[in-house]
Amino acid sequence: MLQTILRRSYATWSVLGLFAGSALAGSALAGAALGCKGKNPTEPEAPRSAAKPSATATPSATAKPATAPLADTPDDGCPIEVRNLRHKQTSRLVAIGDLHGDMEATRRALRLAGAIDEADAWIGGDLLLVQTGDILDRGDDEQEILDLFAKLTIEAAAAGGAIYQLQGNHELMNAMGDFRYVTRGGFADFVTGDVPEPLTAEARARAFFPGGHYARKLAAHDMVAIVGDSVFVHGGVLPRFTSSLEKSNRDARCYLLGALEEPPPAVLDPEGPLWTREFSNEDTDCAKLEEALDALGVKRMVVGHTPQLRGITSACDGRVWRIDTGMASYYNGPTEVLEIDKGTARVLR
């Protein structure tokens, strides 16, 4: 199975030319990952190869109603059904941005949100929590963070709350073999037993390549979720993607499960939901944002992906909120989260 996945990944990404037989040349890959990282918050992260936009990812002729029916489930061999991306907001909601392998930053954010106590137990009651992706890369604590969120998801549900975790571009990058931003500790973290350092990348591949143990965990997460009157996404949702979000969510999850051989177009598109910075820059096109929000029938968009190193920012009269504060130690940004309660958004510091 790993050899098949490696071949798929090689064909899709040509991962730094580091495949040797069925194993990844881990030491060279670790060196590349450690050596090519800059701290420019808008460094040119981009998919290694970009697919043409999906034919279905075109602007809707009319605004999409809030109760739109689900799309038909494609007959492509994937056992996952298309599911509704809309969830009711029944209580206070807090959104947390990129965590990038920093467990201490994760704890600070969760405690600021009122979600956990000093023992990492859920105390949020019926709190709704959204995490907008990019738990992976740039830090050493990825497995611990993923396991903590898995535990808290169960505890939150038992208490009447909910956690909605989203996929970021770094989750899918790892699934596709792009390990440029993995730290040495990030490679070692997924090793079991006594494994020579050159094979540590293969251990990570076994965890995150489609069908792997952690890839299957990530397959429970959507790329885009609407909770109440807010749409949450890692990068952003441009108008041409609004009509196909349910299918894009499903296809990305199917890919992580190993049920689809190639990642879907929305994952590879450099302006897709995982990648675009259209609404995170100073020159945000508010008219384009408004078009997307109207098509989805929501009031605001909440995005991560682009570090706001002075803290959470908003634009277009509060119609978009940028919540990636670079709180992980890699960036040393401030720990802030966004609270949405009774229709009002405010920053918690």
Side-chain angles (χ1 to χ4, degrees):
M1 178 63 178
L2 179 60
Q3 290 182 356
T4 300
I5 295 170
L6 289 170
R7 286 195 297 270
R8 293 177 187 170
S9 182
Y10 182 84
T12 305
W13 294 96
S14 300
V15 184
L16 298 176
L18 293 173
F19 288 97
S22 64
L24 285 163
S27 57
L29 187 53
L34 293 172
C36 72
K37 299 185 297 182
K39 289 196 177 185
N40 179 355
T42 58
E43 64 186 88
E45 291 177 354
R48 286 297 186 89
S49 59
K52 293 181 179 180
S54 168
T56 60
T58 54
S60 176
T62 58
K64 185 175 183 178
T67 57
L70 296 181
D72 292 335
T73 299
D75 183 17
D76 55 12
C78 177
I80 298 177
E81 293 183 354
V82 175
R83 66 185 183 189
N84 203 323
L85 78 161
R86 298 172 188 270
H87 311 272
K88 293 181 180 180
Q89 182 177 348
T90 55
S91 58
R92 173 175 169 265
L93 181 151
V94 174
I96 296 175
D98 303 31
L99 298 172
H100 281 305
D102 188 328
M103 187 62 178
E104 288 308 309
T106 300
R107 288 190 173 106
R108 291 196 305 268
L110 289 170
R111 289 167 186 163
L112 180 59
I116 65 171
D117 62 14
E118 293 300 314
D120 294 346
W122 180 263
I123 58 170
D126 62 358
L127 172 70
L128 305 179
L129 187 73
V130 180
Q131 199 283 317
T132 55
D134 274 12
I135 285 175
L136 298 186
D137 289 345
R138 305 191 191 280
D140 297 344
D141 306 327
E142 303 153 299
Q143 185 171 180
E144 189 177 4
I145 297 170
L146 290 170
D147 291 349
L148 174 62
F149 269 96
K151 177 184 82 77
L152 292 176
T153 297
I154 297 171
E155 294 176 2
I163 295 179
Y164 303 106
Q165 284 185 263
L166 301 182
Q167 297 166 9
N169 62 305
H170 281 265
E171 278 72 44
L172 272 297
M173 285 165 70
N174 274 263
M176 292 182 279
D178 187 342
F179 294 159
R180 283 176 291 169
Y181 301 94
V182 180
T183 64
R184 193 174 301 277
F187 282 114
D189 199 26
F190 294 89
V191 172
T192 56
D194 186 13
V195 176
E197 184 177 354
L199 297 183
T200 57
E202 183 172 347
R204 188 175 181 93
R206 290 185 184 278
F208 286 110
F209 278 15
H213 178 62
Y214 278 92
R216 296 183 69 84
K217 290 178 179 289
L218 294 174
H221 308 163
D222 283 323
M223 287 197 299
V224 183
I226 294 174
V227 185
D229 57 7
S230 305
V231 57
F232 298 87
V233 59
H234 184 66
V237 180
L238 297 181
R240 66 184 174 91
F241 289 97
T242 57
S243 63
S244 57
L245 291 179
E246 288 95 345
K247 184 179 184 301
S248 294
N249 275 346
R250 174 190 177 273
D251 289 352
R253 294 170 61 226
C254 288
Y255 174 70
L256 288 168
L257 280 180
L260 296 182
E261 290 200 3
E262 301 294 338
V267 166
L268 293 177
D269 194 309
E271 289 302 315
L274 298 180
W275 296 97
T276 186
R277 301 185 193 273
E278 178 73 29
F279 303 132
S280 297
N281 299 317
E282 292 184 2
D283 57 347
T284 292
D285 186 334
C286 293
K288 188 178 292 186
L289 172 68
E290 197 73 24
E291 182 183 353
L293 296 178
D294 286 349
L296 295 172
V298 297
K299 292 182 179 179
R300 68 184 65 83
M301 187 179 298
V302 181
V303 302
H305 189 41
T306 303
Q308 314 290 309
L309 297 183
R310 295 184 178 180
I312 291 173
T313 65
S314 65
C316 304
D317 296 323
R319 299 284 268 171
V320 62
W321 289 83
R322 299 91 163 234
I323 66 169
D324 174 12
T325 63
M327 70 178 77
S329 61
Y330 180 85
Y331 290 110
N332 287 319
T335 300
E336 297 183 356
V337 300
L338 184 70
E339 178 187 70
I340 301 174
D341 193 21
K342 298 181 174 64
T344 299
R346 72 184 183 110
V347 179
L348 303 182
R349 298 179 172 89

